[in-house]
Every structure is written in structure tokens, then in C-alpha cells.
Amino acid sequence: MDSKRKEQSIAAVLLTRAHEPDEANRIFTEKVQQRPLFLAPSSPPRSDARAARRRAQQKKTQARKKALKPKPLSAAQRRKLGLYDIPREGQKYALFVPLHNLWLGYIRELLGPEIYTGGEGAAAKLCSADFHGGEVEVVRSGCVSRVGIKGIVVKDSRFAFEIITPKNHLKLVPKEGTVFRLQVPAQPAVTTTTTTKPDGITENQETDRAVAKESDTHDPPPSMAFEIHGEQFRFRSADRASKKFRAHFSKKL
């Protein structure tokens, strides 16, 4: 107790040298005597057996769920199982014509006004477009036998196009060293319905007779042709959608 009082008297004496007596007493009371002292625990808290069992049960349940959850197949396993292969009975051009019609609506909406003008705006949009369902034609290639292949793209992979031809042949055309041409009609094709009148003459026949002379002078609906260099499209369609392309000159042009 004597040492404690001595320490307090020393602290009080030091404070009185710097402050007034009342201020020194206040500081000594608030900052010295009533100052809380926080002590870090020297040992971990006592473990609760119930909480330990609960944590062990939760850990066991999570491990079981993780073990029962099926793992995703690797790319090699998917190729081995043939998940992306088109079966022989499905290699028919007529089956993919509706997909091509959907793609025409998609590409017209994507290009917008650039479908009439072309230019850098159309090129930038085509670079990020998805070509599943597009009808392409090989106009130039390092392999002469591939020139003239025309059909609907059924698979747009990183390095090649899989094309179904009108003769129901599935062709794998590499993108490297190949130039493809796309023909996009500026307007969708007009489809008419046929209704039969009581006299047996359909409305279409009546209309055809009325405008037979005018139809001979009408031109087919305008369309825009685009040529794309396969070497610039060696990306997956999902990667092209988020990739930013910069204009540059190709050495092979």
C-alpha cells in the first residue's frame, strides 16, 4: 500500500507541476485512477462439448454433400462421349432452316442501319456476332477443294466452322486461311397465306393475276454481302461477344 500511495503521490506531484491543482486532480482521477486496463486472455476459452459436436456434424454433412455432388465433365470427357457431335439422322439441311431464319432476324437487329451501309460499324458488330445458324460460303481458302462449300453453320468452335450443306453433308472447315461470305437480306421474306373462295379461286391467284405485269419489273429484295476472314474469328462465340477488337491491317490480305 505504501508503494501505491507513493506512486500516486509522484503522479499527482508531476501533474501539479503542469496544471492547476483542480485540473491536476481531475486528470489524475479520470486518466490514472479510473483508467480501464484490458488484459488479453493467456489461454483459449474452455471448449463446449455440445458446440464441438455440432461443428463436427456440420463438417461431416458438408463433406458428404461435396462427395455426392457430381463433378463437371472435362473437355476431353465431353469429346469422348460425343456430346457435341451431331448424330447421323440429325445431319439434314431442312432441320436447320428454322435456325437460319432465327439467325437472320438476330443479325438484322444486331447490324441495324449498318446493314445498308457496311463500313467499320458493321465490321465491329460482325466480329462479336454469333454465327450459329448463319449461312456461309467459302470463297477463298488455302485448300482449293474447300472453295464453294456453302451451308448453314451448326457449330462455331474456336478454330473451325461445322457446316451442313443443302445435300445433307456435314463439312468441317478450318477458319485459318479461309474467307467466308455471308449474304444477309436487308428485309425479311414476305410470306402469304392462301384462302380459298367459294368459286374455287384463291386470293393469291387473284392477286397474282392483278399484279402479273408489275411483278415482272420488280427486283428481288436487296441484300448485303459480307466477307469475313476466318483467321480473325479464331475465338469461341462466347468469347467474341465480350472481346474488344481493334482495327488493324492483316499481312495476308
Side-chain angles (χ1 to χ4, degrees):
M1 294 294 294
D2 296 338
S3 62
K4 186 175 181 181
R5 291 176 180 176
K6 187 177 180 180
E7 291 178 359
Q8 290 180 354
S9 63
I10 293 175
V13 170
L14 293 176
L15 286 173
T16 55
R17 292 181 180 179
H19 303 280
E20 296 293 333
D22 296 339
E23 184 70 14
N25 292 332
R26 186 186 66 80
I27 295 175
F28 180 79
T29 303
E30 296 178 358
K31 302 297 184 179
V32 179
Q33 286 184 339
Q34 300 179 1
R35 180 180 179 183
L37 180 62
F38 300 99
L39 300 177
S42 58
S43 60
R46 186 177 59 181
S47 61
D48 188 358
R50 179 181 296 179
R53 289 195 300 269
R54 186 184 299 112
R55 288 193 298 269
Q57 184 65 27
Q58 291 178 355
K59 187 176 181 180
K60 185 178 179 180
T61 304
Q62 292 177 358
R64 180 174 176 81
K65 288 182 179 179
K66 187 176 181 180
L68 293 177
K69 184 178 179 181
K71 297 181 180 180
L73 297 175
S74 63
Q77 290 175 336
R78 290 194 294 266
R79 287 194 299 268
K80 186 177 181 180
L81 294 174
L83 297 181
Y84 300 135
D85 297 339
I86 301 175
R88 179 71 64 178
E89 59 273 11
Q91 297 179 8
K92 295 181 180 180
Y93 182 85
L95 295 177
F96 297 95
V97 171
L99 176 63
H100 173 61
N101 295 333
L102 291 175
W103 182 84
L104 288 177
Y106 154 75
I107 201 66
R108 289 193 196 98
E109 183 178 356
L110 179 67
L111 292 175
E114 280 83 1
I115 195 173
Y116 300 99
T117 58
E120 295 183 0
K125 293 179 180 179
L126 282 174
C127 288
S128 59
D130 189 346
F131 290 96
H132 286 96
E135 189 170 10
V136 299
E137 180 183 1
V138 179
V139 293
R140 277 177 288 176
S141 176
C143 180
V144 182
S145 61
R146 298 194 186 108
V147 177
I149 296 177
K150 184 178 181 180
I152 299 175
V153 177
V154 296
K155 184 178 179 181
D156 181 4
S157 61
R158 182 178 179 182
F159 297 107
F161 281 142
E162 284 192 21
I163 301 172
I164 186 74
T165 64
K167 295 183 178 180
N168 300 329
H169 294 159
L170 189 63
K171 302 288 185 180
L172 181 65
V173 182
K175 295 180 181 180
E176 185 177 3
T178 308
V179 179
F180 301 91
R181 177 178 294 169
L182 294 166
Q183 197 82 11
V184 182
Q187 298 178 354
V190 179
T191 58
T192 58
T193 58
T194 303
T195 57
T196 306
K197 292 185 176 181
D199 55 358
I201 301 177
T202 62
E203 290 186 0
N204 285 347
Q205 292 176 352
E206 209 171 54
T207 305
D208 292 342
R209 293 174 183 176
V211 296
K213 295 181 181 181
E214 296 181 2
S215 61
D216 294 339
T217 59
H218 286 175
D219 296 330
S223 60
M224 180 67 73
F226 300 94
E227 289 189 357
I228 60 175
H229 295 261
E231 294 182 354
Q232 310 300 323
F233 288 81
R234 286 185 294 179
F235 303 93
R236 296 186 308 159
S237 57
D239 296 337
R240 289 201 308 267
S242 58
K243 183 177 178 61
K244 294 183 179 180
F245 294 89
R246 290 182 293 180
H248 65 278
F249 294 96
S250 177
K251 297 180 180 180
K252 297 185 178 181
L253 296 181

